[in-house]
């Protein structure tokens, strides 16, 4: 498959991106957030693509995020090195990998939420004779209860420990309010987000009062970034899903950002007057956030196993035949992308760019 071909010539299932819509999503985000003066560090856990991270920098982003160390390894190899790794790096194998990554790429930023975690990284850098300290943020629990040290005295205590670690350079705090991203109702989402932001910025202030250097206060996702940027003291937001969106996000936050990524699928078999079978099942579309939808309204999707799905309809005008193609809208974009090797990015059906999913399968 080459640039210039039409998507109708693609084999299926294939992941396709409508460039006009994706570019409009990027423009909307940057037009809304950049004037506030906030730094935008988009989360590449969604795209797993160095090319897309680079495109976002061209649009105004300052660096990017990845969730996992193994994603950072791939992104750095592909030339994208201004990265915050937003998950804690714990365990001897991973800490050693971090040392090797940091040896080559000094711009890597990490988060810690425990004394054990902080000391292990500090000791490994010491043992490996790496002089330069690694840029470190304290990960704070602002209500998600996933990772993060508790606010108040535990955060102050951890900051003292990080400060005492010669190989860790404390520059800020991360507090991700992931439990609020998909909260239905804009006012409720805003209200709860501002509560989380109060925890985050008050902790940042308390750390500063205790003498720590807190330049970076990073937070936010697609569902909350517009609220985070209004809070004095927040310096950076990390949205990811806005680029492509999915049905779960749309149902929660509406259609400010629109669907730009679809799974192109072929009708393989007819199983009744108003039901057919497509070649996209669990290995092409994830179901943790409900079933995918057809881009064309009026069809109901059902899973028929690993390789197959069904589409049924009521209206005769929606009749589908064997060999026809449909575009499916994922229900949860991040794990769906992780199922595919390439993005076929097209404008009005003509493929303009093909991007590898560089960090596909990188979960370590
Ligand atoms: N920041 C962190 C730490 C995350 O885990 C995520 C997503 O899970 C994001 C930012 C991006 O959020 P979203 O994809 O909702 O924009
Ligand atoms: Mn997700």
């Amino acid at each position: 498959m080459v640039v210039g071909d039409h998507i109708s010539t693609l084999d299926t299932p294939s992941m396709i991106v409508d460039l006009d819509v994706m570019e409009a999503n990027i423009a909307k985000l940057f037009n809304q957030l950049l004037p506030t003066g906030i730094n935008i560090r988009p989360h590449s856990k969604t795209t797993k693509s160095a090319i897309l991270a680079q495109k976002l920098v061209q649009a105004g982003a300052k660096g990017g995020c990845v969730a996992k160390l193994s994603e950072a390894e791939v992104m750095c190899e592909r030339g994208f090195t201004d990265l915050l790794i937003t998950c804690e790096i714990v365990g001897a194998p991973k800490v050693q990998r971090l040392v090797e990554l940091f040896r080559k790429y000094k711009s890597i930023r990490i988060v810690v939420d425990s004394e054990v975690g902080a000391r292990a990284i500090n000791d490994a850098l010491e043992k490996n004779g790496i002089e330069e300290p690694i840029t470190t943020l304290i990960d704070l629990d602002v209500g998600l209860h996933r990772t993060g040290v508790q606010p108040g005295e535990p955060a102050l205590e951890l900051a003292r420990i990080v400060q005492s670690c010669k190989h860790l350079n404390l520059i800020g705090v991360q507090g991700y309010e992931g439990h609020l991203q998909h909260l239905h109702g804009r006012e409720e989402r805003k209200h709860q987000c501002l509560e989380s932001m109060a925890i985050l910025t008050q902790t940042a202030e308390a750390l500063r009062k205790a003498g720590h250097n807190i330049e970076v206060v990073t937070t936010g996702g697609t569902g909350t970034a517009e609220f985070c940027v209004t809070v004095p003291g927040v310096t950076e937001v990390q949205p990811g899903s806005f680029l492509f969106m999915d049905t779960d996000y749309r149902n929660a936050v509406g259609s400010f950002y629109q669907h730009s990524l679809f799974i192109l699928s072929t009708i393989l078999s007819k199983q009744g007057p108003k039901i057919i079978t497509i070649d996209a099942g669990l290995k092409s579309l994830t179901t943790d956030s409900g079933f995918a939808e057809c881009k064309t309204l009026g069809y109901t999707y059902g899973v028929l196993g690993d390789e197959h799905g069904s589409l049924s309809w009521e209206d005769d005008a929606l009749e589908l035949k064997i060999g026809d193609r449909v575009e499916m809208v994922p229900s949860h974009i991040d794990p769906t992308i992780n199922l595919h090797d390439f993005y076929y990015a097209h404008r009005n059906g003509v493929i303009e760019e093909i991007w590898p999913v560089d960090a596909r399968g990188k979960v370590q």
Side-chain angles (χ1 to χ4, degrees):
M1 205 44 51
V2 290
V3 165
D5 286 355
H6 196 270
I7 52 168
S8 60
T9 65
L10 277 174
D11 201 356
T12 64
S14 275
M15 186 161 74
I16 60 174
V17 173
D18 184 325
L19 277 171
D20 285 335
V21 181
M22 186 193 86
E23 288 166 3
N25 287 343
I26 294 173
K28 279 180 195 169
L29 182 105
F30 285 91
N31 289 341
Q32 186 182 47
L33 304 186
L34 268 187
T36 64
I38 209 98
N39 287 341
I40 303 171
R41 185 177 278 280
H43 213 306
S44 289
K45 72 189 282 280
T46 306
T47 69
K48 290 178 168 274
S49 157
I51 291 174
L52 282 166
Q54 198 55 51
K55 278 186 193 291
L56 291 166
V57 166
Q58 276 151 18
K62 290 234 165 64
C65 300
V66 287
K68 299 296 188 77
L69 178 75
S70 57
E71 291 177 329
E73 289 170 342
V74 175
M75 297 287 276
C76 286
E77 277 167 25
R78 303 283 191 279
F80 196 92
T81 59
D82 184 355
L83 284 173
L84 169 65
I85 305 171
T86 60
C87 290
E88 278 68 15
I89 292 166
V90 172
K94 204 174 263 94
V95 168
Q96 191 55 39
R97 279 168 82 166
L98 174 65
V99 168
E100 297 314 325
L101 187 68
F102 184 59
R103 211 192 281 283
K104 283 204 252 171
Y105 305 105
K106 295 292 190 298
S107 51
I108 291 296
R109 298 173 171 208
I110 60 166
V111 301
V112 294
D113 80 349
S114 69
E115 174 172 3
V116 174
R119 289 206 193 281
I121 293 167
N122 186 61
D123 293 352
L125 291 169
E126 169 77 29
K127 213 166 70 203
N128 285 270
I130 296 181
E131 282 301 311
E132 204 172 319
I134 189 163
T135 303
T136 304
L137 285 79
I138 287 185
D139 186 23
L140 185 75
D141 180 11
V142 294
L144 172 58
H145 307 320
R146 182 171 74 181
T147 59
V149 66
Q150 291 306 303
E153 187 47 39
L156 283 162
E157 172 63 12
L158 181 59
R160 280 193 288 274
I161 290 160
V162 172
Q163 193 76 52
S164 75
C165 287
K166 167 166 149 242
H167 299 275
L168 305 181
N169 178 27
L170 179 62
I171 65 144
V173 195
Q174 165 177 275
Y176 177 57
E177 71 298 13
H179 57 305
L180 307 179
Q181 300 305 330
H182 293 246
L183 200 67
H184 289 234
R186 189 166 183 278
E187 281 313 305
E188 186 56 23
R189 205 165 55 253
K190 178 179 177 181
H191 173 72
Q192 291 198 34
C193 176
L194 295 180
E195 283 181 355
S196 284
M197 291 307 105
I199 297 171
L200 179 59
T201 53
Q202 281 163 19
T203 303
E205 208 37 53
L207 293 176
R208 283 188 200 105
K209 283 217 177 79
H212 300 292
N213 172 41
I214 304 295
E215 298 158 31
V216 176
V217 178
T218 185
T219 180
T222 299
T224 58
E226 61 171 318
F227 312 126
C228 301
V229 298
T230 66
V231 177
V234 170
T235 69
E236 184 177 278
V237 287
Q238 314 177 350
S241 299
F242 71 97
L243 210 56
F244 301 133
M245 290 301 280
D246 54 39
T247 64
D248 195 42
Y249 235 127
R250 180 208 61 210
N251 291 340
V253 308
S255 297
F256 180 66
Y257 303 112
Q258 299 199 332
H259 299 303
S260 65
L261 183 149
F262 308 92
I263 305 302
L264 188 65
S265 177
T266 300
I267 285 104
L268 298 180
S269 176
K270 195 154 167 63
Q271 290 293 310
K274 289 184 176 175
I275 183 161
I276 50 82
T277 299
I278 64 173
D279 61 357
L282 291 170
K283 288 185 188 165
S284 306
L285 291 160
T286 57
T287 55
D288 59 281
S289 303
F291 286 173
E293 292 177 3
C294 191
K295 184 180 178 186
T296 309
L297 298 179
Y299 296 100
T300 303
Y301 177 74
V303 172
L304 292 174
D306 295 346
E307 325 295 348
H308 301 97
S310 64
L311 283 180
S312 55
W313 60 90
E314 298 291 326
D315 182 350
D316 287 334
L318 294 174
E319 175 75 18
L320 288 170
K321 304 183 302 299
I322 292 172
D324 284 351
R325 286 152 169 258
V326 286
E327 294 184 28
M328 300 300 297
V329 190
S331 55
H332 188 182
I333 199 73
D334 318 62
T336 296
I337 290 169
N338 194 44
L339 299 171
H340 298 270
D341 287 325
F342 295 101
Y343 299 90
Y344 295 94
H346 71 93
R347 212 179 296 275
N348 300 318
V350 179
I351 297 169
E352 280 191 12
E353 294 180 51
I354 303 171
W355 310 314
V357 184
D358 299 305
R360 177 179 181 190
K362 300 298 179 198
V363 293
Q364 291 184 335

